[in-house]
Amino acid sequence: MTVGLNAFILLAGLLFAIGLLGVILRKNTLVIYMSLELMLNAVNLALVAFSRYNGTMDGNLFVFFIITVAAAEVALGLAIIVALFRLRQTVMVDELTSLSR
Amino acid sequence: MTATQSLLVVLFAPLLSAVVIAFFCRQRHGLAAAISVSASAAIFIFSLLAVAAAGSDTVHVTTDWLSFGDFEINKGFFFDSVSKTMLLMVTFVGFLIHVFSLGYMAKDPARGRYFGGLSIFMFSMLGIVLADNLIMIFVFWELVGFSSYMLIGHYFNTKKAAAAAKKAFIVNRIGDLGFVVGIAYAYWHFGTTDLEVMGQIVGADSSMVNLTIAALLMCGFIGKSAQFPLHVWLPDAMAGPTPVSALIHAATMVAAGGYFLIRIVYLFPDGLLTFIAWLGVFGAIYAGFCAFARRDIKQILAYSTLSQLGYISAAFGLGYPGVALFHLVTHAFFKALLFLAAGSVIHGCHHEQDIFKMGGLLKKMPITGITFFIGILALCGVYGLSGFYSKDAILIAGGFENVPIAIFLTFGALLTAGYMGRLFWVAFLGQPNSEAASHAKESPLTMVVPLIVLAVLSIIGGWIGFWPEQLGGSIKADLDLLHYTDGYDAMHNRIVIFGTAAWVIGLLGAFLFYGKGAKRDRLEKIAAPVYGFLESRLWFDEVYNYYVAKIQQRFALFLSFLDVFVIKGIFVRGSAGLVGLVGTCSRSLHDGNLHSYVYWFLAGLILLWVAASGLL
């Protein structure tokens, strides 16, 4: 049985929605971060699926770039979160409002 | 020493004196007086040296002062026969008045400031005399205005003096507005404001004479020389110390206006000259009448000054600037004499200025009285005295050029003799009418000697034939011009007869009418409405007050309303308020909460999507 394009897009959409809701609703910076990664990967999945069904390599190529950039970004972002925790003893966003007016 | 070097000393000695006094001698009064008087002596000596060095040549030196692109301002001396005559007159009379001040101001608590003011005044006045272009004249012209303000307001703790100083300053500014516009126009028209170069341009092409420029420059003259309608400041300016009135408001500053006209006479078209002549005639008659209803000795002399300035502008307007200069010089001598003698009287009478409270002063103060009488005779134009020659020349010029003017001016001479006679008979003859007058005694030597010197000058100052040949070139030229006109002898005889009749009738009439040492003004007693009318001075001050307080003030309030509500309220405050409102709104978005940023981000994204998809 061949899995259709729609199934991949549906799955990617679901993953993206989960990630978006995570970003919106969760308060822990680490979890928000993980949700962001989930959204990225949902996009990756959609790109690969399109690439497969179009028979071109454009989407795959894009995915490699995204994975590379995301890896770098994760290294940087986690470091920031660790530094933040050292400074403030918390990573909950509702307590990190010192930039308000 | 060349003439230029001497002139530099002449110009800067009083400035140096003023600066030294201002910085170091404001409390050391004796030292300040010594510095100022020696500076005035020095400038007289160096003026003599300058005249001697220049001989009969015209010295014209000029250098750059400022230049902006094509626009250049020069500074320099233009030392011709007119300015030589004026320079010697100003420095000599100025020196005598400085000496007189030593005695008159001996007990004044602010002598340092007073003498500093005299020095800065001399500096400004000499700048006008020597300047070679209009812009430099204007700079010194304003300095004269400033020093006059300072000296009129010497007793600034009295309300009268403070108000008079302000009035003089403001009224002069009105005239100066025209003056400064005239200078700008002259620069645009001639490409220069140099007196000699402008003269050459006009001489080469008489179509370059421009009525507007001449009329604008005349505004400066009207303000400074207190001509109608800007004459109102001069009588009030008598609130200053008396030597200041002598120096500024009789001999030099008000004469600066006439001198300025004489310097630029070539710029005036005929019509405007006739206008100036009639302006002078009106001023002469008007001031003559006003003087009859004044009780203050200095105010009577002030109106007499207004009247004589009218003669000067009439002579100028008749086309004889040399005669105008002649009368300016002789007037400076006898008017300085009269004012200083009045100062001596006021000093002797413990600052009593009302002539009806004097009386009998001739016996108490013989030298002052006699010199004062000589001054009156010179002013009235008694044959042989200085005033006779210059007034005679003016009347003859009037007789040739414009007979009605001559008739009016002869009538003015009658008025002059009348009010001066009233002053002398009432104040100097009869018995003392007040405590102050009965204790009067002759003034000290520093005050009496200048009076004697000026009295001698008032007698011989008009003997133009005895003047050194370097001086008075234009005066002699104009007198010769009159002399060789057809019918001169007949005209001369007629004028001498009428002029003499005028002063004899005036003096005798005043004597018979007012009597010796009167206590009350007889005119006021028998014809109160006439006296009241004269005292009101044609209500000029009231009209100006009404204009300023009602019309101009309301216009100013209207402009202020526009400024406060439209410009400040709507444009300035309005735009600031709008920007502030936008700022307050957008600042409330910035709450530091990550989640709300996410919502705003999403909202923005949706907005972009809607816009991009064409739904909006």
Side-chain angles (χ1 to χ4, degrees):
Chain A
M1 171 195 129
T2 316
V3 182
L5 178 62
N6 285 345
F8 284 110
I9 299 302
L10 195 65
L11 180 62
L14 267 172
L15 282 173
F16 191 88
I18 292 167
L20 184 62
L21 286 172
V23 167
I24 290 174
L25 298 175
R26 299 303 293 266
K27 302 236 154 70
N28 190 321
T29 317
L30 267 176
V31 178
I32 292 174
Y33 209 66
M34 283 156 58
S35 305
L36 280 173
E37 291 303 315
L38 198 59
M39 286 160 76
L40 270 180
N41 282 309
V43 173
N44 281 349
L45 181 60
L47 280 170
V48 171
F50 280 127
S51 193
R52 173 78 177 81
Y53 281 88
N54 277 344
T56 61
M57 291 301 284
D58 297 0
N60 292 347
L61 208 61
F62 231 121
V63 169
F64 281 117
F65 275 105
I66 294 175
I67 291 173
T68 319
V69 172
E73 182 216 310
V74 165
L76 203 66
L78 278 175
I80 290 175
I81 292 172
V82 170
L84 185 68
F85 184 78
R86 282 199 186 146
L87 192 67
R88 305 284 293 269
Q89 306 303 319
T90 178
V91 288
M92 307 307 277
V93 287
D94 48 0
E95 293 169 33
L96 297 171
T97 57
S98 61
L99 274 181
S100 76
R101 59 195 163 87
Chain B
M1 217 170 180
T2 65
T4 312
Q5 287 163 337
S6 304
L7 289 178
L8 282 172
V9 176
V10 167
L11 188 58
F12 287 104
L15 179 64
L16 186 69
S17 151
V19 169
V20 169
I21 292 172
F23 283 116
F24 305 110
C25 302
R26 266 181 304 186
Q27 301 306 322
R28 290 170 222 168
H29 300 302
L31 188 59
I35 292 173
S36 182
V37 173
S38 31
S40 73
I43 54 182
F44 176 59
I45 292 165
F46 277 96
S47 307
L48 285 176
L49 290 179
V51 172
S56 47
D57 299 337
T58 294
V59 178
H60 187 183
V61 285
T62 184
T63 52
D64 280 354
W65 192 359
L66 297 168
S67 62
F68 318 98
D70 293 342
F71 180 73
E72 277 188 3
I73 301 178
N74 294 327
K75 60 182 191 304
F77 296 139
F78 181 41
F79 198 49
D80 61 354
S81 89
V82 175
S83 50
K84 280 173 200 164
T85 314
M86 187 76 180
L87 179 71
L88 282 189
M89 186 276 277
V90 169
T91 51
F92 188 59
V93 172
F95 168 65
L96 290 178
I97 289 169
H98 274 75
V99 173
F100 184 88
S101 300
L102 283 177
Y104 188 83
M105 302 298 281
K107 295 200 181 74
D108 194 276
R111 282 202 321 286
R113 175 158 51 82
Y114 172 80
F115 279 101
L118 282 188
S119 283
I120 191 80
F121 171 77
M122 289 304 282
F123 169 67
S124 334
M125 184 66 206
L126 294 172
I128 294 182
V129 174
L130 297 173
D132 78 328
N133 63 70
L134 293 179
I135 293 171
M136 191 172 160
I137 289 182
F138 185 74
V139 170
F140 285 100
W141 190 268
E142 295 303 309
L143 274 172
V144 162
F146 158 73
S147 31
S148 146
Y149 170 81
M150 222 174 107
L151 289 167
I152 296 172
H154 181 71
Y155 303 123
F156 58 82
N157 40 10
T158 66
K159 205 174 165 190
K160 198 174 134 214
K166 209 157 59 178
K167 186 173 180 181
F169 198 77
I170 292 169
V171 172
N172 266 296
R173 292 292 78 66
I174 297 172
D176 291 349
L177 177 67
F179 189 7
V180 76
V181 176
I183 292 173
Y185 196 175
Y187 188 87
W188 181 73
H189 190 71
F190 295 109
T192 176
T193 60
D194 189 285
L195 298 172
E196 196 174 21
V197 178
M198 283 196 299
Q200 284 158 358
I201 292 173
V202 173
D205 176 9
S206 60
S207 65
M208 287 296 277
V209 171
N210 184 310
L211 177 67
T212 316
I213 293 176
L216 286 169
L217 293 176
M218 184 187 72
C219 293
F221 153 75
I222 289 176
K224 191 66 78 193
S225 276
Q227 294 291 306
F228 176 81
L230 296 182
H231 61 278
V232 289
W233 67 269
L234 187 62
D236 287 25
M238 295 304 128
T242 312
V244 168
S245 309
L247 179 61
I248 298 186
H249 310 118
T252 57
M253 169 178 152
V254 290
Y259 173 75
F260 170 62
L261 285 194
I262 295 165
R263 292 282 255 190
I264 56 165
V265 59
Y266 46 78
L267 292 179
F268 284 83
D270 284 342
L272 194 63
L273 283 177
T274 311
F275 174 76
I276 292 176
W278 279 107
L279 193 70
V281 169
F282 177 77
I285 305 286
Y286 162 78
F289 274 117
C290 288
F292 277 101
R294 296 285 114 195
R295 303 171 66 95
D296 182 327
I297 183 169
K298 281 172 73 181
Q299 287 223 330
I300 297 172
L301 293 179
Y303 277 104
S304 154
T305 304
L306 281 182
S307 169
Q308 297 304 309
L309 288 169
Y311 279 85
I312 293 171
S313 39
F316 178 82
L318 290 168
Y320 292 91
V323 174
L325 182 67
F326 190 25
H327 195 59
L328 199 155
V329 172
T330 56
H331 170 253
F333 291 144
F334 56 71
K335 192 48 67 67
L337 168 63
L338 287 170
F339 262 108
L340 291 186
S344 174
V345 166
I346 294 167
H347 187 74
C349 294
H350 307 285
H351 294 269
E352 178 56 65
Q353 301 196 1
D354 186 342
I355 57 169
F356 290 99
K357 290 185 179 152
M358 294 176 180
L361 292 177
L362 189 59
K363 274 184 212 129
K364 310 261 184 198
M365 312 174 81
I367 302 177
T368 304
I370 292 167
T371 50
F372 195 91
F373 195 61
I374 293 173
I376 289 181
L377 294 182
L379 170 62
C380 295
V382 172
Y383 194 89
L385 273 62
S386 61
F388 166 76
Y389 295 100
S390 52
K391 204 180 263 189
D392 187 51
I394 294 174
L395 295 178
I396 291 172
F400 284 137
E401 304 287 337
N402 194 333
V403 179
I405 287 183
I407 293 171
F408 276 115
L409 289 181
T410 312
F411 180 64
L414 175 71
L415 292 177
T416 306
Y419 63 74
M420 289 315 288
R422 167 181 180 261
L423 166 58
F424 189 79
W425 310 133
V426 169
F428 285 89
L429 298 185
Q431 299 304 317
N433 288 327
S434 71
E435 193 71 5
S438 59
H439 293 128
K441 58 177 189 299
E442 189 56 271
S443 301
L445 212 56
T446 45
M447 294 166 72
V448 172
V449 171
L451 292 183
I452 296 170
V453 176
L454 280 171
V456 172
L457 276 175
S458 299
I459 296 171
I460 65 168
W463 300 352
I464 192 86
F466 293 100
W467 284 26
E469 61 175 322
Q470 294 94 329
L471 298 177
S474 67
I475 299 178
K476 287 166 190 159
D478 270 3
L479 290 180
D480 282 347
L481 187 64
L482 281 176
H483 208 85
Y484 293 114
T485 311
D486 282 340
Y488 173 81
D489 287 330
M491 183 62 77
H492 178 73
N493 290 337
R494 211 176 302 152
I495 295 292
V496 170
I497 291 167
F498 279 112
T500 308
W503 71 258
V504 170
I505 294 172
L507 285 182
L508 275 183
F511 184 75
L512 295 174
F513 188 76
Y514 289 101
K516 291 192 290 184
K519 282 193 180 63
R520 278 198 64 194
D521 193 316
R522 185 148 170 242
L523 183 66
E524 192 182 6
K525 205 155 48 184
I526 62 171
V530 177
Y531 185 84
F533 177 72
L534 294 181
E535 194 179 21
S536 68
R537 304 177 278 187
L538 285 186
W539 299 283
F540 275 113
D541 280 297
E542 284 74 11
V543 169
Y544 291 162
N545 271 342
Y546 178 81
Y547 170 72
V548 171
K550 295 283 154 52
I551 300 174
Q552 196 175 305
Q553 182 70 11
R554 281 181 191 166
F555 186 60
L557 279 176
F558 173 67
L559 288 183
S560 156
F561 170 81
L562 283 188
D563 184 38
V564 171
F565 285 92
V566 178
I567 294 181
K568 202 166 110 189
I570 296 177
F571 289 118
V572 178
R573 292 271 163 81
S575 54
L578 191 66
V579 173
L581 191 69
V582 172
T584 312
C585 291
S586 43
R587 201 169 49 194
S588 68
L589 305 179
H590 193 85
D591 60 356
N593 189 339
L594 190 63
H595 282 127
S596 51
Y597 296 160
V598 174
Y599 288 122
W600 285 115
F601 172 72
L602 283 179
L605 207 61
I606 290 167
L607 198 68
L608 270 179
W609 178 72
V610 170
S613 65
L615 284 178
L616 200 71

